Amino acid sequence: EGEGEGAEGDAEAGSPGAEEEEDGVPSAADRRACDAEARPPRQPAVKLVQLERLPPVLTLHLKRFSAGGGRGAAKVSAKVPFPLELQPGPYCSAQAPPESLSDLGSPGGGGARYELSGVVEHQGSLSGGHYTAFVRAGSSWYHMSDSHVSEADEEAVLGAQASLLFYVQV
């Protein structure tokens, strides 16, 4: 090998990494190392969503579709349990935002209570299917599908693949 040739000579003789450094722009490896040093250590995080005022009818929309990680969207068909009665006090904001995690135990919303009055479910797949609904009238439940209405029991309601839940304040 002659003088100026070989690995050291090539790096000095105009390799892309050397040009970047000569232009005052750090190489990609230097940027990654700098980013890693500048980042604070990872800490646990809490996402907090609280209701400020409670509506007469509380509508909850359950996310039933997900991005498929490069494979397109996919329907989420996992069973999501939901109650016939809901007391949203722990999810309501107090007068001021919490200062720490221990403050999350002091809910607003008083003793508000809701009863389930309707459930919309999607039967089928992402590419096709059918929406039906369960609706409470008095103490009875009804299953509605297009022009067909039939009486339903609480077990059928609670077994639905809910997309929308409707709770009425009592």
Side-chain angles (χ1 to χ4, degrees):
E1 288 187 5
E3 197 174 323
E5 293 177 18
E8 278 186 36
D10 289 344
E12 293 173 11
S15 70
E19 287 177 28
E20 288 178 359
E21 290 175 7
E22 287 176 12
D23 293 343
V25 178
S27 69
D30 288 342
R31 285 192 306 269
R32 283 191 300 273
C34 184
D35 288 346
E37 291 173 15
R39 247 185 259 136
R42 290 183 182 255
Q43 295 187 16
V46 174
K47 180 177 182 179
L48 174 66
V49 176
Q50 290 187 312
L51 303 171
E52 188 174 321
R53 287 184 303 263
L54 293 171
V57 177
L58 180 63
T59 304
L60 301 176
H61 182 196
L62 305 179
K63 182 181 172 188
R64 283 294 189 177
F65 301 97
S66 68
R71 290 173 256 134
K75 181 178 177 187
V76 176
S77 56
K79 173 74 173 113
V80 177
F82 52 90
L84 290 171
E85 187 177 294
L86 184 67
Q87 294 181 343
Y91 308 102
C92 296
S93 63
Q95 296 293 8
E99 304 255 338
S100 69
L101 289 177
S102 61
D103 292 343
L104 293 177
S106 35
R113 192 171 66 85
Y114 286 81
E115 286 184 352
L116 185 66
S117 65
V119 177
V120 174
E121 75 171 335
H122 180 264
Q123 300 166 337
S125 67
L126 182 63
S127 59
H130 183 66
Y131 283 95
T132 64
F134 290 94
V135 179
R136 184 197 315 244
S139 61
S140 299
W141 282 97
Y142 296 92
H143 186 232
M144 300 184 176
S145 176
D146 294 334
S147 61
H148 181 73
V149 177
S150 60
E151 202 161 349
D153 59 16
E154 285 183 355
E155 187 177 333
V157 173
L158 294 173
Q161 276 192 4
S163 293
L164 290 167
L165 300 169
F166 298 92
Y167 286 92
V168 175
Q169 194 169 23
V170 292

